[in-house]
């Protein structure tokens, strides 16, 4: 395993998070909203706790249909990253679990102690998995503000794993990867773009990648060709319940190049135009919605084929005891569509993902109060 600073290398990464999804069917119903199309109960509800006892599931990512063969992963599998160790101290989890389409759970990756694997999780077609980490300092599980700076939390990095779950690269940059908290991908196979939100700097970064065949010499197959900060100015701070608060969920409209950003501390969703092409920092981008009625600290974010945005609410900002752990759907212009609670207790919603299959879609979301992944299958 090698640790590379983005200032020193040409650049490397990519991820396929499955957020460019279609929310419906080819029989004319494919443009229906996602939430109102879901069955009343999840098709599967699977524990995310591995044998070492890690808890607090955060990131969710589907393995894409054209994922290279070899290793334990199969197209349609779901990966889930854990933020807490068995101690339940935040920023200490080290594992990614694999959940098969029939609901079987197994360990895919276990890293060094105290990583704090974040919601930044994605899978590349060419056989690589990316995951961010935001460790707590000395594994204490708390973050505090001192002189306007977050303390008790480390910078973290992006880990690149091969298709067998082996760590092959560790990308680090104080300026560009400062608390990688979530990500989304534009995956074209041999080339890809990874968009990363940073909770410790309140920024969004685009990494342009060149991806070679992951079947051999895995350590040298992912190369970062360019890294660009494209967004900044989002609220970021320590939080006694959420550990850190910052820009989180990202969802890309590949046709227009618009990147949507769920900013927890701002209690808002923003849109960065030309995110796939811009060479400039465009600030927070355009405000899409800041809904004080239904929005309670947006975290995870996915985009449906009809353009709707589905976002989980973490309740660390603007909490409402009458609306705990909501998953909310908005149109691309910010109009409220529907919502439902993932759990009756507060602070249970975090990572989510959407992916199409045949004439339907699958929607997956973690319930980190129960440490389970709920999966809905809509044919």
């Amino acid at each position: 395993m090698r640790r590379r600073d983005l200032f020193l290398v040409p650049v490397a990464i990519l991820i396929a998070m499955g957020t460019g999804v279609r929310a419906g069917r080819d029989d004319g119903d494919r443009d229906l909203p996602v939430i109102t199309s879901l069955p009343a109960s999840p098709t599967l509800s699977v524990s995310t706790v591995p044998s070492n006892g890690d808890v607090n599931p955060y990131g969710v990512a589907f393995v894409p249909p054209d994922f290279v063969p070899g290793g334990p992963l199969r197209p349609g599998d779901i990966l889930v990253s854990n933020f807490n160790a068995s101690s339940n101290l935040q920023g200490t989890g080290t594992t990614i679990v694999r959940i098969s389409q029939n609901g079987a759970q197994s360990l895919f990756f276990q890293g060094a102690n105290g990583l704090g694997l974040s919601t930044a999780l994605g899978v590349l077609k060419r056989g690589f998995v990316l995951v961010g980490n935001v460790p707590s300092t000395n594994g204490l599980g708390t973050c505090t503000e001192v002189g306007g700076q977050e303390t008790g939390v480390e910078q973290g990095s992006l880990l690149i794993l091969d298709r067998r779950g082996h760590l092959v690269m560790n990308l680090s940059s104080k300026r560009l990867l400062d608390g990688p908290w979530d990500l989304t991908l534009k995956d074209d196979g041999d080339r890809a773009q990874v968009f990363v939100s940073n909770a410790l700097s309140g920024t969004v970064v685009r990494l342009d990648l060149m991806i070679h065949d992951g079947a051999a010499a895995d350590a040298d197959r992912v190369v970062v060709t360019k890294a660009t900060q494209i967004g900044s100015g989002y609220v970021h701070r320590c939080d006694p319940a959420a550990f850190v608060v910052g820009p989180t969920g990202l969802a890309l409209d590949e046709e227009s190049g618009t990147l949507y950003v769920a900013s927890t501390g701002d209690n808002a969703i923003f849109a960065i135009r030309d995110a796939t092409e811009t060479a400039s920092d465009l600030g927070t981008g355009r405000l899409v919605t800041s809904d004080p009625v239904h929005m309670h600290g947006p975290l995870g974010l996915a985009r449906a084929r009809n353009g709707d945005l589905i976002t989980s609410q973490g309740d660390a900002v603007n909490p409402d005891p009458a609306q705990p752990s909501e998953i909310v759907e908005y149109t691309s212009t910010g109009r409220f569509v529907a919502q439902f609670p993932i759990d009756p207790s507060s602070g249970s919603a975090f990572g989510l993902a959407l992916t199409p299959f045949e004439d339907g879609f699958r929607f997956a979301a973690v319930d980190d109060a129960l440490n389970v992944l709920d999966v809905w299958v809509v044919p």
Side-chain angles (χ1 to χ4, degrees), residues 40-49 57 78 80 97-105 340-344 348 362-377:
S41 300
T43 308
L44 293 172
S45 189
V46 184
S47 171
T48 58
V49 181
I78 305 173
V80 179
V97 296
R98 170 205 173 212
I99 296 172
S100 68
Q101 292 198 56
N102 66 8
Q105 188 242 77
F340 77 98
I342 195 76
D343 191 281
S348 303
R362 297 167 70 204
F363 175 66
V366 295
D367 178 341
D368 60 21
L370 298 179
N371 297 300
V372 300
L373 177 75
D374 291 331
V375 183
W376 289 260
V377 180

mmCIF file of all heavy atoms in Angstrom, residues 40-49 57 78 80 97-105 340-344 348 362-377:
data_model
loop_
_atom_site.group_PDB
_atom_site.id
_atom_site.type_symbol
_atom_site.label_atom_id
_atom_site.label_comp_id
_atom_site.label_asym_id
_atom_site.label_seq_id
_atom_site.Cartn_x
_atom_site.Cartn_y
_atom_site.Cartn_z
ATOM 1 N N ALA A 40 -44.707 -0.514 0.967
ATOM 2 C CA ALA A 40 -44.862 -0.024 2.339
ATOM 3 C C ALA A 40 -43.722 -0.475 3.243
ATOM 4 O O ALA A 40 -43.327 0.235 4.170
ATOM 5 C CB ALA A 40 -46.199 -0.484 2.902
ATOM 6 N N SER A 41 -43.177 -1.659 2.985
ATOM 7 C CA SER A 41 -42.072 -2.198 3.777
ATOM 8 C C SER A 41 -40.917 -2.563 2.854
ATOM 9 O O SER A 41 -41.142 -2.925 1.696
ATOM 10 C CB SER A 41 -42.515 -3.436 4.559
ATOM 11 O OG SER A 41 -43.561 -3.130 5.448
ATOM 12 N N PRO A 42 -39.684 -2.500 3.348
ATOM 13 C CA PRO A 42 -38.550 -2.865 2.496
ATOM 14 C C PRO A 42 -38.590 -4.333 2.098
ATOM 15 O O PRO A 42 -39.088 -5.185 2.842
ATOM 16 C CB PRO A 42 -37.333 -2.547 3.375
ATOM 17 C CG PRO A 42 -37.844 -2.503 4.767
ATOM 18 C CD PRO A 42 -39.260 -2.043 4.682
ATOM 19 N N THR A 43 -38.069 -4.616 0.927
ATOM 20 C CA THR A 43 -37.976 -5.987 0.441
ATOM 21 C C THR A 43 -36.986 -6.783 1.279
ATOM 22 O O THR A 43 -37.196 -7.965 1.565
ATOM 23 C CB THR A 43 -37.533 -5.987 -1.030
ATOM 24 O OG1 THR A 43 -38.384 -5.113 -1.775
ATOM 25 C CG2 THR A 43 -37.578 -7.374 -1.623
ATOM 26 N N LEU A 44 -35.889 -6.139 1.677
ATOM 27 C CA LEU A 44 -34.867 -6.734 2.532
ATOM 28 C C LEU A 44 -34.496 -5.762 3.632
ATOM 29 O O LEU A 44 -34.480 -4.541 3.428
ATOM 30 C CB LEU A 44 -33.599 -7.057 1.730
ATOM 31 C CG LEU A 44 -33.639 -8.142 0.666
ATOM 32 C CD1 LEU A 44 -32.323 -8.135 -0.113
ATOM 33 C CD2 LEU A 44 -33.870 -9.498 1.293
ATOM 34 N N SER A 45 -34.192 -6.283 4.800
ATOM 35 C CA SER A 45 -33.636 -5.491 5.887
ATOM 36 C C SER A 45 -32.516 -6.335 6.497
ATOM 37 O O SER A 45 -32.774 -7.359 7.124
ATOM 38 C CB SER A 45 -34.701 -5.158 6.930
ATOM 39 O OG SER A 45 -34.209 -4.233 7.877
ATOM 40 N N VAL A 46 -31.255 -5.909 6.270
ATOM 41 C CA VAL A 46 -30.092 -6.754 6.549
ATOM 42 C C VAL A 46 -29.154 -6.055 7.525
ATOM 43 O O VAL A 46 -28.860 -4.857 7.373
ATOM 44 C CB VAL A 46 -29.330 -7.065 5.240
ATOM 45 C CG1 VAL A 46 -28.182 -8.025 5.504
ATOM 46 C CG2 VAL A 46 -30.272 -7.626 4.188
ATOM 47 N N SER A 47 -28.657 -6.782 8.505
ATOM 48 C CA SER A 47 -27.694 -6.231 9.452
ATOM 49 C C SER A 47 -26.427 -5.802 8.737
ATOM 50 O O SER A 47 -25.935 -6.483 7.828
ATOM 51 C CB SER A 47 -27.350 -7.270 10.520
ATOM 52 O OG SER A 47 -26.261 -6.826 11.324
ATOM 53 N N THR A 48 -25.884 -4.660 9.145
ATOM 54 C CA THR A 48 -24.623 -4.173 8.595
ATOM 55 C C THR A 48 -23.463 -4.380 9.564
ATOM 56 O O THR A 48 -22.359 -3.897 9.322
ATOM 57 C CB THR A 48 -24.729 -2.677 8.261
ATOM 58 O OG1 THR A 48 -25.090 -1.954 9.454
ATOM 59 C CG2 THR A 48 -25.786 -2.431 7.191
ATOM 60 N N VAL A 49 -23.700 -5.086 10.672
ATOM 61 C CA VAL A 49 -22.674 -5.289 11.695
ATOM 62 C C VAL A 49 -21.821 -6.492 11.329
ATOM 63 O O VAL A 49 -22.320 -7.622 11.274
ATOM 64 C CB VAL A 49 -23.309 -5.496 13.078
ATOM 65 C CG1 VAL A 49 -22.227 -5.674 14.146
ATOM 66 C CG2 VAL A 49 -24.212 -4.322 13.439
ATOM 67 N N PRO A 57 -23.591 2.437 10.289
ATOM 68 C CA PRO A 57 -23.383 2.387 8.846
ATOM 69 C C PRO A 57 -23.596 3.751 8.207
ATOM 70 O O PRO A 57 -24.541 4.461 8.546
ATOM 71 C CB PRO A 57 -24.437 1.374 8.379
ATOM 72 C CG PRO A 57 -25.513 1.445 9.415
ATOM 73 C CD PRO A 57 -24.783 1.685 10.707
ATOM 74 N N ILE A 78 -24.467 -4.775 -2.821
ATOM 75 C CA ILE A 78 -24.433 -3.456 -2.176
ATOM 76 C C ILE A 78 -23.304 -3.456 -1.154
ATOM 77 O O ILE A 78 -23.161 -4.409 -0.365
ATOM 78 C CB ILE A 78 -25.765 -3.130 -1.481
ATOM 79 C CG1 ILE A 78 -26.927 -3.245 -2.471
ATOM 80 C CG2 ILE A 78 -25.725 -1.726 -0.876
ATOM 81 C CD1 ILE A 78 -28.298 -3.113 -1.815
ATOM 82 N N VAL A 80 -21.574 -1.367 2.120
ATOM 83 C CA VAL A 80 -21.922 -0.425 3.188
ATOM 84 C C VAL A 80 -20.683 -0.212 4.049
ATOM 85 O O VAL A 80 -20.053 -1.180 4.494
ATOM 86 C CB VAL A 80 -23.078 -0.945 4.061
ATOM 87 C CG1 VAL A 80 -23.400 0.053 5.181
ATOM 88 C CG2 VAL A 80 -24.327 -1.212 3.220
ATOM 89 N N VAL A 97 -18.969 -3.864 4.505
ATOM 90 C CA VAL A 97 -19.622 -5.152 4.337
ATOM 91 C C VAL A 97 -20.269 -5.235 2.960
ATOM 92 O O VAL A 97 -20.673 -4.234 2.375
ATOM 93 C CB VAL A 97 -20.674 -5.422 5.433
ATOM 94 C CG1 VAL A 97 -20.009 -5.520 6.794
ATOM 95 C CG2 VAL A 97 -21.766 -4.359 5.437
ATOM 96 N N ARG A 98 -20.338 -6.451 2.442
ATOM 97 C CA ARG A 98 -20.994 -6.747 1.173
ATOM 98 C C ARG A 98 -22.341 -7.391 1.461
ATOM 99 O O ARG A 98 -22.430 -8.320 2.270
ATOM 100 C CB ARG A 98 -20.132 -7.691 0.340
ATOM 101 C CG ARG A 98 -20.838 -8.250 -0.890
ATOM 102 C CD ARG A 98 -20.233 -9.562 -1.324
ATOM 103 N NE ARG A 98 -21.001 -10.181 -2.402
ATOM 104 C CZ ARG A 98 -21.111 -11.485 -2.567
ATOM 105 N NH1 ARG A 98 -20.520 -12.317 -1.728
ATOM 106 N NH2 ARG A 98 -21.829 -11.965 -3.572
ATOM 107 N N ILE A 99 -23.387 -6.907 0.802
ATOM 108 C CA ILE A 99 -24.719 -7.497 0.933
ATOM 109 C C ILE A 99 -25.155 -7.943 -0.462
ATOM 110 O O ILE A 99 -25.267 -7.124 -1.382
ATOM 111 C CB ILE A 99 -25.709 -6.503 1.553
ATOM 112 C CG1 ILE A 99 -25.258 -6.174 2.980
ATOM 113 C CG2 ILE A 99 -27.132 -7.068 1.545
ATOM 114 C CD1 ILE A 99 -26.036 -5.075 3.647
ATOM 115 N N SER A 100 -25.363 -9.237 -0.611
ATOM 116 C CA SER A 100 -25.750 -9.786 -1.909
ATOM 117 C C SER A 100 -27.220 -9.498 -2.189
ATOM 118 O O SER A 100 -27.969 -9.050 -1.312
ATOM 119 C CB SER A 100 -25.493 -11.293 -1.935
ATOM 120 O OG SER A 100 -26.385 -11.953 -1.049
ATOM 121 N N GLN A 101 -27.645 -9.787 -3.405
ATOM 122 C CA GLN A 101 -29.023 -9.499 -3.780
ATOM 123 C C GLN A 101 -30.026 -10.342 -2.998
ATOM 124 O O GLN A 101 -31.183 -9.944 -2.857
ATOM 125 C CB GLN A 101 -29.224 -9.698 -5.286
ATOM 126 C CG GLN A 101 -28.474 -8.669 -6.124
ATOM 127 C CD GLN A 101 -28.982 -8.581 -7.544
ATOM 128 O OE1 GLN A 101 -30.158 -8.357 -7.787
ATOM 129 N NE2 GLN A 101 -28.085 -8.749 -8.508
ATOM 130 N N ASN A 102 -29.593 -11.495 -2.475
ATOM 131 C CA ASN A 102 -30.503 -12.304 -1.661
ATOM 132 C C ASN A 102 -30.425 -11.982 -0.178
ATOM 133 O O ASN A 102 -31.060 -12.647 0.649
ATOM 134 C CB ASN A 102 -30.262 -13.801 -1.899
ATOM 135 C CG ASN A 102 -28.884 -14.251 -1.414
ATOM 136 O OD1 ASN A 102 -28.152 -13.489 -0.771
ATOM 137 N ND2 ASN A 102 -28.523 -15.483 -1.732
ATOM 138 N N GLY A 103 -29.633 -10.958 0.185
ATOM 139 C CA GLY A 103 -29.584 -10.490 1.565
ATOM 140 C C GLY A 103 -28.489 -11.096 2.410
ATOM 141 O O GLY A 103 -28.413 -10.808 3.611
ATOM 142 N N ALA A 104 -27.595 -11.897 1.841
ATOM 143 C CA ALA A 104 -26.483 -12.452 2.608
ATOM 144 C C ALA A 104 -25.433 -11.372 2.852
ATOM 145 O O ALA A 104 -25.086 -10.622 1.946
ATOM 146 C CB ALA A 104 -25.861 -13.629 1.866
ATOM 147 N N GLN A 105 -24.941 -11.292 4.082
ATOM 148 C CA GLN A 105 -23.938 -10.284 4.435
ATOM 149 C C GLN A 105 -22.589 -10.936 4.674
ATOM 150 O O GLN A 105 -22.492 -12.005 5.278
ATOM 151 C CB GLN A 105 -24.367 -9.529 5.701
ATOM 152 C CG GLN A 105 -23.487 -8.334 6.040
ATOM 153 C CD GLN A 105 -22.781 -8.482 7.381
ATOM 154 O OE1 GLN A 105 -21.800 -9.199 7.498
ATOM 155 N NE2 GLN A 105 -23.307 -7.784 8.383
ATOM 156 N N PHE A 340 -40.712 10.039 3.936
ATOM 157 C CA PHE A 340 -41.072 8.964 4.859
ATOM 158 C C PHE A 340 -39.937 8.786 5.858
ATOM 159 O O PHE A 340 -38.776 9.075 5.545
ATOM 160 C CB PHE A 340 -41.363 7.658 4.113
ATOM 161 C CG PHE A 340 -40.140 6.926 3.641
ATOM 162 C CD1 PHE A 340 -39.617 5.859 4.365
ATOM 163 C CD2 PHE A 340 -39.504 7.296 2.463
ATOM 164 C CE1 PHE A 340 -38.493 5.182 3.920
ATOM 165 C CE2 PHE A 340 -38.384 6.617 2.004
ATOM 166 C CZ PHE A 340 -37.876 5.551 2.745
ATOM 167 N N PRO A 341 -40.224 8.298 7.083
ATOM 168 C CA PRO A 341 -39.168 8.089 8.068
ATOM 169 C C PRO A 341 -38.515 6.728 7.889
ATOM 170 O O PRO A 341 -39.193 5.719 7.713
ATOM 171 C CB PRO A 341 -39.918 8.170 9.403
ATOM 172 C CG PRO A 341 -41.295 7.682 9.065
ATOM 173 C CD PRO A 341 -41.565 8.104 7.647
ATOM 174 N N ILE A 342 -37.189 6.680 7.960
ATOM 175 C CA ILE A 342 -36.476 5.418 7.896
ATOM 176 C C ILE A 342 -36.529 4.710 9.245
ATOM 177 O O ILE A 342 -36.367 3.488 9.339
ATOM 178 C CB ILE A 342 -35.004 5.645 7.451
ATOM 179 C CG1 ILE A 342 -34.351 4.325 7.014
ATOM 180 C CG2 ILE A 342 -34.177 6.275 8.546
ATOM 181 C CD1 ILE A 342 -34.784 3.853 5.677
ATOM 182 N N ASP A 343 -36.781 5.472 10.320
ATOM 183 C CA ASP A 343 -36.818 4.929 11.677
ATOM 184 C C ASP A 343 -37.601 5.909 12.546
ATOM 185 O O ASP A 343 -37.548 7.126 12.306
ATOM 186 C CB ASP A 343 -35.385 4.767 12.220
ATOM 187 C CG ASP A 343 -35.319 3.972 13.509
ATOM 188 O OD1 ASP A 343 -35.607 4.546 14.578
ATOM 189 O OD2 ASP A 343 -34.984 2.778 13.446
ATOM 190 N N PRO A 344 -38.322 5.448 13.564
ATOM 191 C CA PRO A 344 -39.082 6.368 14.427
ATOM 192 C C PRO A 344 -38.228 7.201 15.366
ATOM 193 O O PRO A 344 -38.731 8.157 15.973
ATOM 194 C CB PRO A 344 -40.009 5.437 15.200
ATOM 195 C CG PRO A 344 -39.325 4.110 15.190
ATOM 196 C CD PRO A 344 -38.618 4.036 13.875
ATOM 197 N N SER A 348 -31.293 8.659 12.562
ATOM 198 C CA SER A 348 -31.095 7.299 12.062
ATOM 199 C C SER A 348 -30.797 7.231 10.573
ATOM 200 O O SER A 348 -30.379 6.185 10.074
ATOM 201 C CB SER A 348 -32.341 6.453 12.343
ATOM 202 O OG SER A 348 -32.641 6.440 13.719
ATOM 203 N N ARG A 362 -33.892 -0.260 -7.708
ATOM 204 C CA ARG A 362 -33.661 -0.647 -6.312
ATOM 205 C C ARG A 362 -33.222 0.593 -5.555
ATOM 206 O O ARG A 362 -32.409 1.383 -6.042
ATOM 207 C CB ARG A 362 -32.587 -1.731 -6.213
ATOM 208 C CG ARG A 362 -32.974 -3.042 -6.895
ATOM 209 C CD ARG A 362 -31.774 -3.950 -7.052
ATOM 210 N NE ARG A 362 -31.334 -4.474 -5.772
ATOM 211 C CZ ARG A 362 -30.098 -4.903 -5.530
ATOM 212 N NH1 ARG A 362 -29.164 -4.797 -6.471
ATOM 213 N NH2 ARG A 362 -29.778 -5.400 -4.352
ATOM 214 N N PHE A 363 -33.772 0.741 -4.377
ATOM 215 C CA PHE A 363 -33.447 1.866 -3.509
ATOM 216 C C PHE A 363 -32.964 1.294 -2.182
ATOM 217 O O PHE A 363 -33.602 0.411 -1.596
ATOM 218 C CB PHE A 363 -34.680 2.740 -3.282
ATOM 219 C CG PHE A 363 -34.476 3.859 -2.298
ATOM 220 C CD1 PHE A 363 -33.604 4.895 -2.581
ATOM 221 C CD2 PHE A 363 -35.153 3.878 -1.089
ATOM 222 C CE1 PHE A 363 -33.412 5.936 -1.679
ATOM 223 C CE2 PHE A 363 -34.976 4.911 -0.180
ATOM 224 C CZ PHE A 363 -34.104 5.943 -0.474
ATOM 225 N N ALA A 364 -31.811 1.757 -1.723
ATOM 226 C CA ALA A 364 -31.209 1.247 -0.491
ATOM 227 C C ALA A 364 -30.858 2.408 0.426
ATOM 228 O O ALA A 364 -30.358 3.441 -0.030
ATOM 229 C CB ALA A 364 -29.962 0.430 -0.809
ATOM 230 N N ALA A 365 -31.120 2.245 1.724
ATOM 231 C CA ALA A 365 -30.825 3.290 2.707
ATOM 232 C C ALA A 365 -30.477 2.645 4.042
ATOM 233 O O ALA A 365 -31.093 1.646 4.435
ATOM 234 C CB ALA A 365 -32.025 4.220 2.875
ATOM 235 N N VAL A 366 -29.495 3.222 4.734
ATOM 236 C CA VAL A 366 -29.119 2.688 6.043
ATOM 237 C C VAL A 366 -30.027 3.250 7.126
ATOM 238 O O VAL A 366 -30.517 4.380 7.041
ATOM 239 C CB VAL A 366 -27.645 3.000 6.394
ATOM 240 C CG1 VAL A 366 -26.703 2.288 5.449
ATOM 241 C CG2 VAL A 366 -27.366 4.495 6.418
ATOM 242 N N ASP A 367 -30.251 2.443 8.135
ATOM 243 C CA ASP A 367 -30.872 2.859 9.393
ATOM 244 C C ASP A 367 -29.804 2.653 10.452
ATOM 245 O O ASP A 367 -29.568 1.535 10.910
ATOM 246 C CB ASP A 367 -32.116 2.002 9.670
ATOM 247 C CG ASP A 367 -32.802 2.336 11.000
ATOM 248 O OD1 ASP A 367 -32.156 2.956 11.865
ATOM 249 O OD2 ASP A 367 -33.985 1.946 11.168
ATOM 250 N N ASP A 368 -29.109 3.735 10.826
ATOM 251 C CA ASP A 368 -27.973 3.533 11.723
ATOM 252 C C ASP A 368 -28.358 3.518 13.195
ATOM 253 O O ASP A 368 -27.490 3.384 14.058
ATOM 254 C CB ASP A 368 -26.823 4.504 11.424
ATOM 255 C CG ASP A 368 -27.184 5.961 11.561
ATOM 256 O OD1 ASP A 368 -28.159 6.282 12.244
ATOM 257 O OD2 ASP A 368 -26.465 6.792 10.980
ATOM 258 N N ALA A 369 -29.660 3.601 13.511
ATOM 259 C CA ALA A 369 -30.111 3.313 14.873
ATOM 260 C C ALA A 369 -30.165 1.805 15.089
ATOM 261 O O ALA A 369 -29.791 1.296 16.153
ATOM 262 C CB ALA A 369 -31.473 3.935 15.128
ATOM 263 N N LEU A 370 -30.616 1.083 14.067
ATOM 264 C CA LEU A 370 -30.727 -0.380 14.146
ATOM 265 C C LEU A 370 -29.533 -1.076 13.523
ATOM 266 O O LEU A 370 -29.421 -2.307 13.611
ATOM 267 C CB LEU A 370 -32.008 -0.842 13.445
ATOM 268 C CG LEU A 370 -33.327 -0.332 14.024
ATOM 269 C CD1 LEU A 370 -34.501 -0.858 13.207
ATOM 270 C CD2 LEU A 370 -33.470 -0.729 15.488
ATOM 271 N N ASN A 371 -28.642 -0.318 12.846
ATOM 272 C CA ASN A 371 -27.494 -0.888 12.146
ATOM 273 C C ASN A 371 -27.945 -1.914 11.101
ATOM 274 O O ASN A 371 -27.490 -3.059 11.080
ATOM 275 C CB ASN A 371 -26.507 -1.519 13.136
ATOM 276 C CG ASN A 371 -25.932 -0.499 14.083
ATOM 277 O OD1 ASN A 371 -25.289 0.454 13.668
ATOM 278 N ND2 ASN A 371 -26.191 -0.685 15.375
ATOM 279 N N VAL A 372 -28.841 -1.462 10.228
ATOM 280 C CA VAL A 372 -29.333 -2.306 9.147
ATOM 281 C C VAL A 372 -29.349 -1.507 7.850
ATOM 282 O O VAL A 372 -29.358 -0.276 7.854
ATOM 283 C CB VAL A 372 -30.752 -2.865 9.420
ATOM 284 C CG1 VAL A 372 -30.779 -3.712 10.687
ATOM 285 C CG2 VAL A 372 -31.780 -1.750 9.495
ATOM 286 N N LEU A 373 -29.371 -2.239 6.746
ATOM 287 C CA LEU A 373 -29.608 -1.659 5.435
ATOM 288 C C LEU A 373 -30.976 -2.118 4.961
ATOM 289 O O LEU A 373 -31.254 -3.314 4.922
ATOM 290 C CB LEU A 373 -28.549 -2.113 4.427
ATOM 291 C CG LEU A 373 -28.757 -1.596 3.001
ATOM 292 C CD1 LEU A 373 -28.371 -0.120 2.906
ATOM 293 C CD2 LEU A 373 -27.966 -2.426 1.995
ATOM 294 N N ASP A 374 -31.833 -1.167 4.628
ATOM 295 C CA ASP A 374 -33.142 -1.457 4.063
ATOM 296 C C ASP A 374 -33.070 -1.324 2.546
ATOM 297 O O ASP A 374 -32.522 -0.345 2.032
ATOM 298 C CB ASP A 374 -34.200 -0.515 4.624
ATOM 299 C CG ASP A 374 -34.500 -0.746 6.091
ATOM 300 O OD1 ASP A 374 -34.347 -1.902 6.544
ATOM 301 O OD2 ASP A 374 -34.874 0.212 6.798
ATOM 302 N N VAL A 375 -33.637 -2.298 1.842
ATOM 303 C CA VAL A 375 -33.611 -2.303 0.377
ATOM 304 C C VAL A 375 -35.034 -2.502 -0.147
ATOM 305 O O VAL A 375 -35.722 -3.448 0.261
ATOM 306 C CB VAL A 375 -32.708 -3.440 -0.160
ATOM 307 C CG1 VAL A 375 -32.642 -3.390 -1.689
ATOM 308 C CG2 VAL A 375 -31.308 -3.350 0.443
ATOM 309 N N TRP A 376 -35.451 -1.605 -1.013
ATOM 310 C CA TRP A 376 -36.750 -1.721 -1.677
ATOM 311 C C TRP A 376 -36.506 -2.075 -3.134
ATOM 312 O O TRP A 376 -35.682 -1.446 -3.811
ATOM 313 C CB TRP A 376 -37.516 -0.407 -1.612
ATOM 314 C CG TRP A 376 -38.040 -0.040 -0.266
ATOM 315 C CD1 TRP A 376 -39.318 -0.198 0.202
ATOM 316 C CD2 TRP A 376 -37.322 0.611 0.794
ATOM 317 N NE1 TRP A 376 -39.431 0.300 1.478
ATOM 318 C CE2 TRP A 376 -38.220 0.796 1.879
ATOM 319 C CE3 TRP A 376 -35.997 1.050 0.939
ATOM 320 C CZ2 TRP A 376 -37.839 1.398 3.064
ATOM 321 C CZ3 TRP A 376 -35.615 1.638 2.125
ATOM 322 C CH2 TRP A 376 -36.533 1.806 3.175
ATOM 323 N N VAL A 377 -37.254 -3.040 -3.650
ATOM 324 C CA VAL A 377 -37.179 -3.434 -5.051
ATOM 325 C C VAL A 377 -38.505 -3.079 -5.712
ATOM 326 O O VAL A 377 -39.574 -3.520 -5.271
ATOM 327 C CB VAL A 377 -36.896 -4.942 -5.210
ATOM 328 C CG1 VAL A 377 -36.833 -5.312 -6.684
ATOM 329 C CG2 VAL A 377 -35.598 -5.317 -4.504
#
